[in-house]
Amino acid sequence: MPLSREDDQNAAMVAIAPILPLVNDILNGAVEFYFGENYTDAARAQHTARAAANCIYSHAERLMLDAEGSRAGLHILDVRGLRVMNWRDQALLRFKKVDGNGRSSNYQTKQQQDYDDQLPIPDLPDPAVRLTAGYELAPAGVGLNRVIISRRVGQGMFWSSQVIFLENEANWVDITPQRFAGMGDSDFNAARARRARSGR
């Protein structure tokens, strides 16, 4: 029997609690690098939102790669271009720009769709939950507003958590979008929904 949304969220967030400070540092560092003196205002003004997101992602990826081996059980996996942080084969995290609900909105390859759908992918540990470690920009668009960990199932958001720090200890709060009455937490069939949208 699948876990309830609340139990699934709690299990995943407890599992990654030891690396939440690192995840926060990576995303905060990438955003600060982009909005710091490394880019001029004139250069940033020429960037589309997509170009800015690509730059921040590149900096986050570099910081993620630099973190390889910094903690026992932390490994960076590159599976046909999908680079993820593997924490003890319990959780996989990929870095993305997200909205306030934890959703990313870029074009996805079949492999990225399978990741979101929680489907097995060769060379990724099967038991590990697939998560997105997202950064939301401040409303003015000139800095980090918050870090959000989310678990998607297809196009649906199973749950999302905002990372917070209390007395230098990483914690989280549930910010999962409200569902309409009658919609279940765990009965979403991502493959069926994709087929329905594509007409197959």
Side-chain angles (χ1 to χ4, degrees), residues 64-94:
M64 178 181 72
L65 292 171
D66 290 345
E68 171 84 60
S70 63
R71 290 163 172 76
L74 177 68
H75 304 284
I76 309 305
L77 304 179
D78 186 340
V79 178
R80 295 167 293 282
L82 176 63
R83 286 184 173 167
V84 295
M85 181 179 284
N86 176 17
W87 176 240
R88 298 178 174 170
D89 286 351
Q90 297 173 359
L92 301 171
L93 296 99
R94 65 175 181 167

CSV table of all heavy atoms in Angstrom, one decimal, residues 64-94:
chain,number,residue,atom,x,y,z
A,64,MET,N,27.4,21.8,-7.3
A,64,MET,CA,27.0,20.4,-7.0
A,64,MET,C,28.2,19.5,-7.2
A,64,MET,O,28.5,18.6,-6.4
A,64,MET,CB,25.8,20.0,-7.8
A,64,MET,CG,25.3,18.6,-7.5
A,64,MET,SD,23.9,18.1,-8.5
A,64,MET,CE,24.6,18.0,-10.2
A,65,LEU,N,28.8,19.6,-8.4
A,65,LEU,CA,30.0,18.8,-8.8
A,65,LEU,C,31.1,19.0,-7.8
A,65,LEU,O,31.8,18.0,-7.4
A,65,LEU,CB,30.4,19.1,-10.2
A,65,LEU,CG,29.4,18.7,-11.3
A,65,LEU,CD1,29.9,19.2,-12.6
A,65,LEU,CD2,29.3,17.2,-11.4
A,66,ASP,N,31.3,20.2,-7.3
A,66,ASP,CA,32.4,20.5,-6.4
A,66,ASP,C,32.1,19.8,-5.0
A,66,ASP,O,33.0,19.6,-4.2
A,66,ASP,CB,32.6,22.0,-6.2
A,66,ASP,CG,33.2,22.7,-7.4
A,66,ASP,OD1,33.7,21.9,-8.3
A,66,ASP,OD2,33.1,23.9,-7.4
A,67,ALA,N,30.8,19.5,-4.7
A,67,ALA,CA,30.4,18.9,-3.4
A,67,ALA,C,30.7,17.4,-3.4
A,67,ALA,O,30.5,16.8,-2.4
A,67,ALA,CB,29.0,19.2,-3.1
A,68,GLU,N,31.0,16.8,-4.6
A,68,GLU,CA,31.2,15.4,-4.7
A,68,GLU,C,32.2,14.9,-3.6
A,68,GLU,O,33.3,15.5,-3.5
A,68,GLU,CB,31.7,15.0,-6.1
A,68,GLU,CG,32.2,13.6,-6.2
A,68,GLU,CD,31.1,12.6,-6.6
A,68,GLU,OE1,30.4,12.8,-7.6
A,68,GLU,OE2,30.9,11.7,-5.8
A,69,GLY,N,31.8,13.9,-2.8
A,69,GLY,CA,32.7,13.4,-1.8
A,69,GLY,C,32.8,14.2,-0.6
A,69,GLY,O,33.6,13.9,0.3
A,70,SER,N,32.1,15.3,-0.5
A,70,SER,CA,32.3,16.2,0.7
A,70,SER,C,31.6,15.6,1.9
A,70,SER,O,31.9,16.0,3.1
A,70,SER,CB,31.7,17.6,0.5
A,70,SER,OG,30.3,17.5,0.2
A,71,ARG,N,30.7,14.6,1.7
A,71,ARG,CA,30.0,13.9,2.8
A,71,ARG,C,29.9,12.4,2.4
A,71,ARG,O,29.7,12.1,1.3
A,71,ARG,CB,28.6,14.4,3.0
A,71,ARG,CG,28.5,15.8,3.6
A,71,ARG,CD,27.2,16.4,3.4
A,71,ARG,NE,27.0,17.7,4.1
A,71,ARG,CZ,27.5,18.8,3.7
A,71,ARG,NH1,28.2,18.9,2.6
A,71,ARG,NH2,27.3,19.9,4.4
A,72,ALA,N,30.1,11.5,3.4
A,72,ALA,CA,30.0,10.1,3.2
A,72,ALA,C,28.5,9.8,2.7
A,72,ALA,O,27.6,10.3,3.3
A,72,ALA,CB,30.3,9.3,4.4
A,73,GLY,N,28.4,9.1,1.6
A,73,GLY,CA,27.1,8.8,1.1
A,73,GLY,C,26.6,9.8,0.0
A,73,GLY,O,25.5,9.6,-0.5
A,74,LEU,N,27.4,10.8,-0.3
A,74,LEU,CA,26.9,11.8,-1.3
A,74,LEU,C,27.7,11.5,-2.6
A,74,LEU,O,28.9,11.6,-2.6
A,74,LEU,CB,27.2,13.2,-0.8
A,74,LEU,CG,26.9,14.3,-1.8
A,74,LEU,CD1,25.4,14.4,-2.0
A,74,LEU,CD2,27.4,15.7,-1.3
A,75,HIS,N,27.0,11.3,-3.6
A,75,HIS,CA,27.6,11.1,-5.0
A,75,HIS,C,26.8,11.9,-6.0
A,75,HIS,O,25.6,12.1,-5.9
A,75,HIS,CB,27.6,9.6,-5.3
A,75,HIS,CG,28.3,8.8,-4.3
A,75,HIS,ND1,29.6,8.7,-4.2
A,75,HIS,CD2,27.7,8.0,-3.3
A,75,HIS,CE1,29.9,7.9,-3.2
A,75,HIS,NE2,28.8,7.4,-2.7
A,76,ILE,N,27.5,12.3,-7.0
A,76,ILE,CA,26.9,13.0,-8.2
A,76,ILE,C,26.8,12.0,-9.3
A,76,ILE,O,27.8,11.4,-9.7
A,76,ILE,CB,27.7,14.3,-8.6
A,76,ILE,CG1,27.9,15.2,-7.4
A,76,ILE,CG2,26.9,15.0,-9.7
A,76,ILE,CD1,26.7,15.6,-6.6
A,77,LEU,N,25.6,11.8,-9.9
A,77,LEU,CA,25.5,10.9,-11.0
A,77,LEU,C,25.1,11.6,-12.2
A,77,LEU,O,24.4,12.6,-12.2
A,77,LEU,CB,24.3,9.9,-10.6
A,77,LEU,CG,24.4,9.1,-9.3
A,77,LEU,CD1,23.2,8.2,-9.2
A,77,LEU,CD2,25.7,8.3,-9.3
A,78,ASP,N,25.7,11.2,-13.3
A,78,ASP,CA,25.5,11.8,-14.6
A,78,ASP,C,25.0,10.6,-15.5
A,78,ASP,O,25.8,9.8,-15.9
A,78,ASP,CB,26.7,12.4,-15.2
A,78,ASP,CG,26.4,13.2,-16.5
A,78,ASP,OD1,25.4,12.9,-17.2
A,78,ASP,OD2,27.3,14.0,-16.9
A,79,VAL,N,23.7,10.6,-15.7
A,79,VAL,CA,23.1,9.5,-16.5
A,79,VAL,C,22.5,10.1,-17.8
A,79,VAL,O,21.5,10.8,-17.8
A,79,VAL,CB,21.9,8.8,-15.7
A,79,VAL,CG1,21.3,7.8,-16.6
A,79,VAL,CG2,22.5,8.3,-14.4
A,80,ARG,N,23.3,10.0,-18.9
A,80,ARG,CA,23.0,10.5,-20.2
A,80,ARG,C,22.5,12.0,-20.1
A,80,ARG,O,21.5,12.3,-20.7
A,80,ARG,CB,21.9,9.6,-20.8
A,80,ARG,CG,22.4,8.2,-21.1
A,80,ARG,CD,21.3,7.2,-21.5
A,80,ARG,NE,20.4,6.9,-20.3
A,80,ARG,CZ,20.7,6.1,-19.3
A,80,ARG,NH1,21.9,5.5,-19.4
A,80,ARG,NH2,19.9,5.9,-18.3
A,81,GLY,N,23.3,12.8,-19.4
A,81,GLY,CA,23.0,14.2,-19.4
A,81,GLY,C,22.1,14.6,-18.2
A,81,GLY,O,22.0,15.8,-17.9
A,82,LEU,N,21.5,13.7,-17.5
A,82,LEU,CA,20.7,14.0,-16.3
A,82,LEU,C,21.6,13.9,-15.1
A,82,LEU,O,22.0,12.8,-14.7
A,82,LEU,CB,19.6,13.0,-16.2
A,82,LEU,CG,18.7,13.2,-14.9
A,82,LEU,CD1,18.0,14.5,-14.9
A,82,LEU,CD2,17.7,12.0,-14.8
A,83,ARG,N,22.0,15.1,-14.6
A,83,ARG,CA,22.9,15.1,-13.4
A,83,ARG,C,22.1,15.3,-12.2
A,83,ARG,O,21.3,16.3,-12.0
A,83,ARG,CB,23.9,16.3,-13.6
A,83,ARG,CG,25.0,16.0,-14.6
A,83,ARG,CD,26.0,17.0,-14.7
A,83,ARG,NE,27.1,16.6,-15.5
A,83,ARG,CZ,28.1,17.4,-16.0
A,83,ARG,NH1,28.0,18.7,-15.6
A,83,ARG,NH2,29.0,17.0,-16.8
A,84,VAL,N,22.3,14.4,-11.2
A,84,VAL,CA,21.6,14.5,-10.0
A,84,VAL,C,22.5,14.2,-8.8
A,84,VAL,O,23.5,13.6,-8.9
A,84,VAL,CB,20.4,13.4,-10.0
A,84,VAL,CG1,19.3,13.8,-11.0
A,84,VAL,CG2,20.9,12.0,-10.2
A,85,MET,N,22.1,14.7,-7.6
A,85,MET,CA,22.8,14.4,-6.4
A,85,MET,C,22.1,13.2,-5.8
A,85,MET,O,20.9,13.1,-5.6
A,85,MET,CB,22.6,15.6,-5.5
A,85,MET,CG,23.3,15.5,-4.1
A,85,MET,SD,23.0,17.0,-3.1
A,85,MET,CE,24.2,18.1,-3.9
A,86,ASN,N,23.0,12.2,-5.5
A,86,ASN,CA,22.5,10.9,-4.9
A,86,ASN,C,22.9,10.9,-3.5
A,86,ASN,O,24.1,10.9,-3.1
A,86,ASN,CB,23.1,9.8,-5.7
A,86,ASN,CG,22.7,8.4,-5.1
A,86,ASN,OD1,21.8,8.3,-4.3
A,86,ASN,ND2,23.5,7.4,-5.4
A,87,TRP,N,21.9,10.9,-2.6
A,87,TRP,CA,22.2,10.8,-1.2
A,87,TRP,C,21.8,9.4,-0.6
A,87,TRP,O,20.7,9.0,-0.5
A,87,TRP,CB,21.3,11.9,-0.4
A,87,TRP,CG,21.5,11.9,1.1
A,87,TRP,CD1,20.5,11.7,2.0
A,87,TRP,CD2,22.7,12.1,1.8
A,87,TRP,NE1,21.0,11.7,3.3
A,87,TRP,CE2,22.3,12.0,3.2
A,87,TRP,CE3,24.0,12.3,1.5
A,87,TRP,CZ2,23.3,12.1,4.2
A,87,TRP,CZ3,24.9,12.5,2.5
A,87,TRP,CH2,24.6,12.4,3.8
A,88,ARG,N,22.9,8.6,-0.4
A,88,ARG,CA,22.8,7.3,0.2
A,88,ARG,C,21.9,6.4,-0.5
A,88,ARG,O,21.3,5.5,0.1
A,88,ARG,CB,22.4,7.5,1.7
A,88,ARG,CG,23.4,8.2,2.5
A,88,ARG,CD,22.9,8.4,4.0
A,88,ARG,NE,23.8,9.0,4.8
A,88,ARG,CZ,23.6,9.4,6.1
A,88,ARG,NH1,22.4,9.3,6.6
A,88,ARG,NH2,24.5,10.0,6.8
A,89,ASP,N,21.6,6.5,-1.8
A,89,ASP,CA,20.7,5.7,-2.5
A,89,ASP,C,19.3,5.8,-2.0
A,89,ASP,O,18.4,5.0,-2.3
A,89,ASP,CB,21.1,4.3,-2.6
A,89,ASP,CG,22.3,4.0,-3.5
A,89,ASP,OD1,22.7,5.0,-4.3
A,89,ASP,OD2,22.9,2.9,-3.5
A,90,GLN,N,19.0,6.8,-1.1
A,90,GLN,CA,17.7,7.0,-0.6
A,90,GLN,C,16.9,8.1,-1.3
A,90,GLN,O,15.7,8.1,-1.4
A,90,GLN,CB,17.8,7.4,0.9
A,90,GLN,CG,18.4,6.4,1.8
A,90,GLN,CD,18.6,6.9,3.2
A,90,GLN,OE1,18.3,8.1,3.5
A,90,GLN,NE2,19.2,6.1,4.1
A,91,ALA,N,17.7,9.1,-1.8
A,91,ALA,CA,17.0,10.3,-2.5
A,91,ALA,C,17.9,10.8,-3.6
A,91,ALA,O,19.1,10.9,-3.4
A,91,ALA,CB,16.7,11.4,-1.5
A,92,LEU,N,17.3,11.2,-4.7
A,92,LEU,CA,18.0,11.8,-5.8
A,92,LEU,C,17.4,13.3,-5.9
A,92,LEU,O,16.2,13.4,-5.8
A,92,LEU,CB,17.7,11.1,-7.1
A,92,LEU,CG,18.2,9.6,-7.1
A,92,LEU,CD1,17.7,9.0,-8.4
A,92,LEU,CD2,19.7,9.5,-7.0
A,93,LEU,N,18.3,14.2,-6.1
A,93,LEU,CA,17.9,15.6,-6.2
A,93,LEU,C,18.4,16.2,-7.5
A,93,LEU,O,19.6,16.1,-7.7
A,93,LEU,CB,18.3,16.4,-5.0
A,93,LEU,CG,17.7,16.0,-3.6
A,93,LEU,CD1,18.8,15.2,-2.9
A,93,LEU,CD2,17.4,17.3,-2.8
A,94,ARG,N,17.6,16.8,-8.2
A,94,ARG,CA,18.0,17.6,-9.4
A,94,ARG,C,17.7,19.1,-9.1
A,94,ARG,O,16.7,19.4,-8.4
A,94,ARG,CB,17.5,17.1,-10.7
A,94,ARG,CG,16.0,17.3,-10.8
A,94,ARG,CD,15.5,16.9,-12.1
A,94,ARG,NE,14.0,17.1,-12.2
A,94,ARG,CZ,13.3,17.1,-13.3
A,94,ARG,NH1,13.9,16.9,-14.5
A,94,ARG,NH2,12.0,17.3,-13.3
